[in-house]
Amino acid sequence: MEMEFKELKEAIDQVELVDAHAHNIVSLDSSFPFIGTFSEATGDALSFAPHSLSFKRNLREIAQLYGTEVSLEAIEKHRQDTGLHAFTSKCFKEAGISALLIDDGLKLDKKHDIEWHKDFVPFVGRVLRIETLAEQILDEKISSSWTIDSFTKVFVQRLSSLVPEIVALKTVAAYRSGLDIDTHVSKEVAENGLVEVLQAGKPVRIGNKGLIDYILSLTLELAERHDLPLQIHTGFGDRDLDLRLANPLHLRTLLEDKRFVKCRIVLLHASYPFSKEASYLCSVYPQVYLDFGLAVPKLSVHGMVSSVKELLDLAPTKKVMFSTDGYASPETYYLGAKKAREVIFLVLRDACASSDLSLNEAIDAAKDIFSRNAIAFYKLDLEVNSSSPQSSISLAPQMNEPDVQEDSSSFVRIIWVDTSGQQRCRAVQTHRFNISVKKSGIGLTHASMGMPSFTDGPAEQSKLTGVGEIRLVPDLSTKRTVPWTKQESMVLADMLLKPGEAWDYCPRETLRRVAKVLKDEFDLVMNAGFENEFYLLKNVVREGKEEYVPFDFGPYCSTSSYDAASPLFHEIVPALESLNITVEQFHAESGKGQFEISLGHTVASHAADNLVYTREVIRSVARKHGLLATFVPKYDLCDIGSGSHVHLSLWKNGENVFPASDKSSAHGMSTIGEEFMAGVLFHLPSVLAVIAPLPNSYDRLQPNTWSGAFQCWGKENREAALRTASPPGAPDGLVTNFEIKSCDGASNPHLSLAIIMAAGIDGLRRHLQLPEPIDTNPADVAATLKRLPESLSEAVEALEKDKVLHELLGQKLLVAITGVRKAEVEYYSTNPDACKQLIHRY
């Protein structure tokens, strides 16, 4: 048994460490007292620190490291004689730390910047403390000039601009107002809190609970958007903290909020003395992880061991991480690392002795705790050589200039969708992406958002030209491995004027902006799910000419047609699932060679992103099989058209609030559901200019084609433009979502959902009501209904007159959209046969 434990101890002693939470080191002439590195006490209480168990132990450890007498005076003299750089190098070398994540928001006199620390550790990442950022912003302007809206705008812009520079976010809400966070705090409460904070004068210190809760809720939204984890201070700290409010159990409301279930959260400091509570939360919430820095080495040996054991009582070893919580002096890093190795050995040794773990499982757990968990959780560009007995850590290959063929032959596609709905990309080598592009993006001409479907130059009336450039900046949360060629990745991009400042024409930012209005004004989130109809065509030569003809001629839901296309679906569906896109069903459609794939619903911004990737997958897999997949609205004027029907629902606090609460509703919808849908129906003529963007789209929008040609709605009426749906499992008569039939595959997904949402917002603001539903074929009662625009020019005219949508989407963007649409109308009216080439663009 002793030999087994020796093997465990050797493995723990040799593993290189990822220190996932620490702070800046200060210069030797800092006013921060060296004794303060041994205790959380301050002021007069610090005079008692030398009599604590941890102080006496840690003092001996440092004296042994430096070869001095065991006294504070001897150690301080050694530090002065040796010099900061020299003893910092010794501390980090002995600690065996290969990567370091620094929260630089802790106020320390004469602290060194993050760059300085890179002299001692191969990888240093920055953790952004959100309260510090907010306070810096509020200190920049005259107090009376701030409103909660102006603060929110600057905070979002500033944080977003810093995303390329940081690996995580952090909150010290526990120090300010406690962890009982109200994630649904109203803007009014936050505004009052802002006023209170500003009235206290400068420098600003945010302590108002309403404002803290608002900032943290806003941060969680940004964390999910940018795929950043959030560190939360829990448990003990200095005397500024009310320990009663630092119990992580107070976080239950936040953890239960379905908006943030995908946000990765780590509870710092072992939550001591609430380690059992933290262990429980980690075991039942998949997004919760634990970090035991500060508890180790600040507690007694018994306290450290018992605290870590309590963490592992319930928490998976895959979710517990090491950090030193080092600060001010390099000795804190050394002590944190040294004692962590000793404590983890004692804990895992006892786990083996009690048969909780085998030896190999204990060694594996140690490697997870000390490095692998943090690398995965923070998505660090590091590699662990697990085959090495020392489990060494190094920068991942892509972080360096390429010197191997694998790097120089792997690419990243940076994708955007333009105003006319065409999906475009630029590709860069992976090493260049990691070195510069993922942070700074690539340049793109203003003209790119003014291009129509028939040429790669800007439409004159779009007011966009070849003069001017924006940055196409990757949204790293959307970066995925290309399923059909493993040597490449793809990522969706935002259009920025400069870091943190979105371009007015950016489709993804437009959707985010409108979604924020829906959230701020009505506390609602719109979910969307798309049905993708497309044709599969094959290339044939007839009379010496190449042409594209249907891949198959079977009818709707034909088993033989599906069988013929089955090999494609066996690649398409797994590819989509690898991209985390839910596929609900797929089948042959009514057209010759036409098929449909229906996607699961999700938050609107994700639904739009998913649709972009879905189109990429379908086209690429078809091309691999020698076929052409096209989403063009009307491929064959004599056959059925292809739509991109979208199902919409409204959610609050993770619950679908579109259905009525009981059967008393006349239409099975809640009041907000009806008002939102009524807004969409009211503005539908204008909305068509975005969701049906080509003249060819209106060849599809005809009566008796299940595409919605009249401005009406119906219950389960597939000829109505809007159809309410009650899928299996929904209570009798209650509606869970509604479908817009008019949307097609040439539309820009983000702009489409943005304008639909904007129309719904107007319905909510004005409390619009739906007319009576149409329970028959609308064509049979056409005389009593209003026909939707029969041409793109009619839809554009409606949009130009719709000032409500101009306000919500932005005047500049609307000018570009209508300018491009007018160019489409003019070109195809004089070149009608040119629409045959659209199969190569959509």
Side-chain angles (χ1 to χ4, degrees):
M1 183 65 75
E2 287 301 321
M3 288 300 295
E4 288 184 359
F5 291 155
K6 181 180 179 183
E7 185 179 348
L8 174 62
K9 188 171 190 316
E10 287 177 352
I12 290 174
D13 287 345
Q14 292 175 352
V15 67
E16 291 189 47
L17 311 181
V18 174
D19 186 350
H21 178 257
H23 305 278
N24 308 64
I25 292 172
V26 302
S27 64
L28 280 175
D29 59 346
S30 169
S31 61
F32 186 87
F34 177 59
I35 190 176
T37 63
F38 293 91
S39 172
E40 288 294 292
T42 57
D44 292 343
L46 194 57
S47 63
F48 292 94
H51 305 288
S52 68
L53 301 183
S54 63
F55 183 97
K56 293 178 182 295
R57 182 194 68 238
N58 289 332
L59 194 69
R60 287 196 304 273
E61 301 275 9
I62 297 302
Q64 184 177 357
L65 174 70
Y66 291 157
T68 68
E69 294 179 7
V70 184
S71 72
L72 202 59
E73 295 75 15
I75 292 172
E76 290 196 87
K77 183 178 186 304
H78 175 84
R79 296 174 95 245
Q80 293 292 338
D81 293 345
T82 306
L84 179 63
H85 199 280
F87 68 77
T88 298
S89 295
K90 183 176 183 64
C91 285
F92 275 106
K93 181 180 179 182
E94 294 298 323
I97 296 172
S98 290
L100 178 61
L101 307 186
I102 293 180
D103 160 25
D104 59 352
L106 180 64
K107 292 182 179 179
L108 293 167
D109 179 50
K110 297 182 180 179
K111 66 183 180 184
H112 289 286
D113 61 21
I114 287 179
E115 199 66 28
W116 181 86
H117 297 75
K118 294 180 180 178
D119 286 349
F120 312 101
V121 183
F123 178 92
V124 181
R126 182 188 180 195
V127 177
L128 180 66
R129 187 182 292 203
I130 61 172
E131 291 84 5
T132 301
L133 175 65
E135 289 163 352
Q136 289 170 346
I137 290 170
L138 292 174
D139 274 329
E140 290 172 1
K141 287 167 56 177
I142 300 172
S143 297
S144 60
S145 65
W146 286 111
T147 65
I148 196 66
D149 286 333
S150 63
F151 165 74
T152 300
K153 181 178 180 181
V154 176
F155 182 81
V156 170
Q157 288 181 345
R158 191 74 57 81
L159 192 153
S160 298
S161 72
L162 293 170
V163 167
E165 304 172 17
I166 60 179
V167 296
L169 301 167
K170 179 185 174 182
T171 177
V172 290
Y175 271 96
R176 306 302 179 86
S177 55
L179 296 179
D180 186 13
I181 307 297
D182 178 6
T183 55
H184 298 285
V185 60
S186 68
K187 288 184 74 172
E188 181 182 2
V189 169
E191 185 91 59
N192 292 336
L194 178 62
V195 171
E196 177 187 300
V197 166
L198 294 174
Q199 286 177 342
K202 295 185 177 180
V204 170
R205 186 182 190 277
I206 302 174
N208 177 274
K209 176 171 168 48
L211 186 56
I212 287 287
D213 292 356
Y214 178 81
I215 292 171
L216 182 51
S217 300
L218 183 61
T219 298
L220 286 164
E221 293 178 12
L222 295 169
E224 181 177 353
R225 180 191 306 175
H226 296 295
D227 194 27
L228 286 170
L230 176 68
Q231 298 182 344
I232 300 180
H233 180 108
T234 60
F236 75 137
D238 61 41
R239 63 182 291 178
D240 283 347
L241 181 106
D242 185 338
L243 189 58
R244 297 167 298 179
L245 300 178
N247 188 328
L249 291 181
H250 287 302
L251 291 169
R252 187 174 188 277
T253 300
L254 184 155
L255 299 176
E256 285 288 329
D257 194 320
K258 290 184 170 57
R259 294 172 297 163
F260 309 132
V261 292
K262 292 185 179 179
C263 292
R264 307 190 306 283
I265 290 171
V266 58
L267 308 181
L268 298 175
H269 312 316
S271 298
Y272 182 84
F274 310 111
S275 303
K276 291 180 179 179
E277 290 87 340
S279 179
Y280 163 73
L281 292 175
C282 182
S283 70
V284 297
Y285 289 103
Q287 73 270 39
V288 174
Y289 291 69
L290 305 176
D291 181 303
F292 56 76
L294 188 64
V296 178
K298 283 298 193 322
L299 303 178
S300 68
V301 173
H302 170 77
M304 290 188 290
V305 171
S306 61
S307 179
V308 174
K309 281 187 175 182
E310 286 178 353
L311 291 184
L312 291 176
D313 277 343
L314 289 172
T317 57
K318 287 286 187 184
K319 297 177 75 179
V320 176
M321 291 178 280
F322 155 80
S323 76
T324 62
D325 196 38
Y327 61 98
S329 75
E331 290 87 350
T332 57
Y333 290 88
Y334 168 74
L335 291 170
K338 184 175 189 299
K339 300 318 292 183
R341 292 185 197 271
E342 294 173 6
V343 168
I344 291 297
F345 168 71
L346 294 174
V347 170
L348 295 181
R349 180 200 65 184
D350 289 354
C352 290
S354 60
S355 300
D356 279 337
L357 293 174
S358 68
L359 174 63
N360 288 336
E361 288 170 337
I363 292 173
D364 203 48
K367 292 178 179 180
D368 283 337
I369 290 168
F370 280 119
S371 60
R372 295 190 301 217
N373 291 346
I375 291 172
F377 180 82
Y378 294 101
K379 298 189 176 181
L380 304 178
D381 290 318
L382 300 171
E383 287 188 344
V384 180
N385 181 8
S386 297
S387 62
S388 162
Q390 295 186 347
S391 192
S392 61
I393 300 171
S394 61
L395 295 177
Q398 62 264 31
M399 293 297 293
N400 301 316
E401 289 294 333
D403 56 6
V404 293
Q405 186 176 359
E406 179 182 340
D407 269 358
S408 60
S409 63
S410 61
F411 310 140
V412 180
R413 306 177 188 187
I414 304 165
I415 298 173
W416 75 98
V417 186
D418 66 19
T419 313
S420 63
Q422 297 178 81
Q423 299 191 182
R424 302 175 185 268
C425 81
R426 286 188 176 178
V428 298
Q429 290 175 299
T430 300
H431 75 277
R432 180 169 179 258
F433 179 87
N434 284 304
I435 290 170
S436 62
V437 173
K438 74 176 182 180
K439 176 180 178 181
S440 304
I442 55 176
L444 190 68
T445 174
H446 284 186
S448 61
M449 284 299 286
M451 295 178 181
S453 66
F454 57 85
T455 186
D456 290 333
E460 184 176 351
Q461 293 188 60
S462 72
K463 306 301 182 185
L464 293 168
T465 69
V467 178
E469 184 171 276
I470 52 108
R471 301 305 294 177
L472 200 61
V473 179
D475 177 352
L476 298 180
S477 69
T478 68
K479 189 168 180 281
R480 304 285 186 270
T481 299
V482 176
W484 56 92
T485 169
K486 299 298 183 181
Q487 278 188 301
E488 297 191 28
S489 299
M490 55 186 176
V491 64
L492 301 179
D494 291 323
M495 297 173 173
L496 306 181
L497 289 172
K498 59 184 180 181
E501 184 176 345
W503 193 35
D504 290 333
Y505 304 85
C506 177
R508 300 182 80 240
E509 178 60 26
T510 299
L511 177 55
R512 283 195 287 261
R513 182 162 38 80
V514 179
K516 188 176 187 304
V517 174
L518 182 65
K519 177 63 179 173
D520 288 349
E521 291 191 21
F522 304 101
D523 196 22
L524 294 172
V525 173
M526 187 179 86
N527 274 21
F530 286 94
E531 300 174 5
N532 297 269
E533 294 176 340
F534 57 94
Y535 277 86
L536 290 175
L537 307 177
K538 59 184 178 182
N539 186 275
V540 298
V541 178
R542 290 177 176 170
E543 298 178 357
K545 294 182 179 180
E546 283 192 349
E547 59 179 287
Y548 283 89
V549 299
F551 158 80
D552 183 81
F553 292 85
Y556 172 71
C557 282
S558 164
T559 54
S560 61
S561 294
Y562 169 74
D563 192 56
S566 177
L568 278 78
F569 286 110
H570 276 288
E571 293 186 37
I572 290 171
V573 175
L576 292 174
E577 289 180 343
S578 76
L579 300 173
N580 297 320
I581 297 173
T582 302
V583 177
E584 292 200 337
Q585 60 176 313
F586 39 97
H587 58 85
E589 259 296 348
S590 300
K592 300 178 182 67
Q594 189 185 36
F595 296 86
E596 177 184 301
I597 294 180
S598 297
L599 306 179
H601 71 89
T602 185
V603 175
S605 58
H606 293 165
D609 291 348
N610 288 349
L611 185 56
V612 175
Y613 280 154
T614 299
R615 291 173 180 173
E616 288 294 305
V617 168
I618 292 171
R619 277 196 284 247
S620 297
V621 171
R623 188 180 301 112
K624 178 181 173 182
H625 286 261
L627 301 173
L628 184 148
T630 178
F631 300 91
V632 71
K634 194 74 169 177
Y635 149 68
D636 184 345
L637 296 181
C638 298
D639 208 337
I640 202 75
S642 290
S644 186
H645 310 160
V646 58
H647 289 256
L648 304 167
S649 55
L650 296 173
W651 295 69
K652 179 181 286 189
N653 301 335
E655 301 294 330
N656 187 357
V657 294
F658 196 85
S661 58
D662 55 44
K663 297 181 181 180
S664 63
S665 167
H667 305 308
M669 287 176 273
S670 63
T671 300
I672 58 175
E674 179 176 348
E675 290 177 354
F676 186 91
M677 185 174 162
V680 175
L681 183 62
F682 178 85
H683 290 282
L684 194 54
S686 309
V687 170
L688 284 186
V690 174
I691 69 174
L694 299 173
N696 179 264
S697 300
Y698 298 82
D699 294 324
R700 168 182 168 262
L701 298 178
Q702 300 295 322
N704 302 308
T705 59
W706 291 14
S707 59
F710 295 91
Q711 191 173 0
C712 66
W713 75 281
K715 299 177 180 180
E716 298 291 8
N717 187 340
R718 283 174 168 76
E719 277 292 347
L722 304 187
R723 172 180 77 97
T724 56
S726 299
D732 241 7
L734 296 189
V735 171
T736 62
N737 67 88
F738 73 100
E739 176 187 25
I740 302 179
K741 309 288 290 185
S742 315
C743 192
D744 67 43
S747 63
N748 180 304
H750 297 87
L751 294 181
S752 294
L753 292 182
I755 197 168
I756 290 168
M757 194 184 297
I761 288 171
D762 186 51
L764 290 168
R765 285 174 172 174
R766 295 198 287 145
H767 304 293
L768 296 181
Q769 291 187 319
L770 288 168
E772 286 302 305
I774 302 300
D775 59 3
T776 186
N777 185 341
D780 294 341
V781 290
T784 65
L785 298 174
K786 183 180 177 182
R787 180 73 158 86
L788 285 171
E790 296 185 53
S791 67
L792 179 57
S793 57
E794 287 182 33
V796 169
E797 183 180 355
L799 180 57
E800 287 185 316
K801 295 177 180 177
D802 201 327
K803 300 308 178 186
V804 170
L805 298 185
H806 286 232
E807 174 201 342
L808 283 164
L809 268 72
Q811 185 63 33
K812 290 181 180 179
L813 176 61
L814 264 296
V815 168
I817 291 173
T818 55
V820 169
R821 302 297 185 262
K822 288 175 181 178
E824 307 275 16
V825 171
E826 181 180 352
Y827 179 79
Y828 289 106
S829 65
T830 56
N831 301 276
D833 287 344
C835 68
K836 295 177 181 178
Q837 298 304 310
L838 290 173
I839 61 173
H840 300 292
R841 289 186 177 255
Y842 300 98

